Amino acid sequence: MPDLVSGEAFNELFRAYRYTAWRLETRSFYGVLEENEPFQRWLAGDDSDIEWFRPWLSMMRDELATGKRMERVRVIDDPPSDYLRWELWGTPYNLGVGEDIRYLPRKHSVVDSLPDEDFWVFDSRTVARLHFDEDGNVLGAALSEDPAEVVRALQARDAAWHHALTFTEYMATRSA
């Protein structure tokens, strides 16, 4: 197992990048300790408390206000898993602080050409590949600046971004 960055060191990646952060999300579930209780409450019908989400939103608001960009493509199932439905519920909060999150249906043909793993690309030079345990819990990210790995990530970014739907476009397909 490579050395993994997690916790506050992982959050520091979002303060340290200068221009762009981009993520490919391929999983139907992410186990994140601080999200477990809010997710369970949401499943039970209580979506009133977003205090758990405020630290991320505050950090993104501050960082994106400096002119940085943050973009993601989420590969999404039809129908979405409970966790992906929860992410859809939270997406307007992300968008509200300046993130740009798009959705790519898993059945889209381009998905077969994408890596079957989650990663961030910072400033088109650093790849942070996320690692998970057998239960889907996030362990951390392995960082690489290997040019070949960065180019593969950027090719995946370009292919996914080209075909992904904005949140509004995706939600319109769900109600159609």
Side-chain angles (χ1 to χ4, degrees), residues 85-104:
R85 287 188 312 104
W86 186 53
E87 283 192 330
L88 287 166
W89 166 83
T91 297
Y93 294 105
N94 298 92
L95 299 176
V97 298
E99 291 187 60
D100 189 347
I101 300 176
R102 302 200 179 182
Y103 290 86
L104 184 61

Side-chain angles (χ1 to χ4, degrees), residues 108-161:
H108 193 288
S109 61
V110 76
V111 172
D112 291 337
S113 69
L114 299 175
D116 187 23
E117 59 191 356
D118 280 49
F119 61 87
W120 284 96
V121 181
F122 296 98
D123 293 329
S124 298
R125 65 175 191 172
T126 303
V127 176
R129 294 208 181 280
L130 296 171
H131 289 259
F132 304 88
D133 69 15
E134 60 278 351
D135 295 323
N137 297 305
V138 179
L139 299 173
L143 304 181
S144 174
E145 292 187 358
D146 174 67
E149 193 167 349
V150 171
V151 166
R152 280 191 299 275
L154 295 176
Q155 288 171 331
R157 177 198 65 191
D158 291 349
W161 193 255

Side-chain angles (χ1 to χ4, degrees), residues 3-15 31-34 55-56 59 120 122 130-131 137-143:
D3 290 335
L4 299 180
V5 175
S6 62
E8 190 54 36
F10 184 74
N11 284 340
E12 188 56 33
L13 295 171
F14 298 95
R15 294 181 192 98
V32 180
L33 184 59
E34 58 270 12
W56 175 263
M59 180 174 63
W120 284 96
F122 296 98
L130 296 171
H131 289 259
N137 297 305
V138 179
L139 299 173
L143 304 181

Side-chain angles (χ1 to χ4, degrees), residues 25-60:
E25 299 181 17
T26 62
R27 302 171 68 90
S28 296
F29 172 79
Y30 295 91
V32 180
L33 184 59
E34 58 270 12
E35 292 180 357
N36 187 46
E37 184 182 330
F39 175 53
Q40 294 305 316
R41 282 195 315 263
W42 181 85
L43 284 173
D46 178 6
D47 64 1
S48 62
D49 178 18
I50 67 160
E51 287 307 309
W52 62 273
F53 205 7
R54 290 196 194 283
W56 175 263
L57 296 172
S58 178
M59 180 174 63
M60 288 302 96

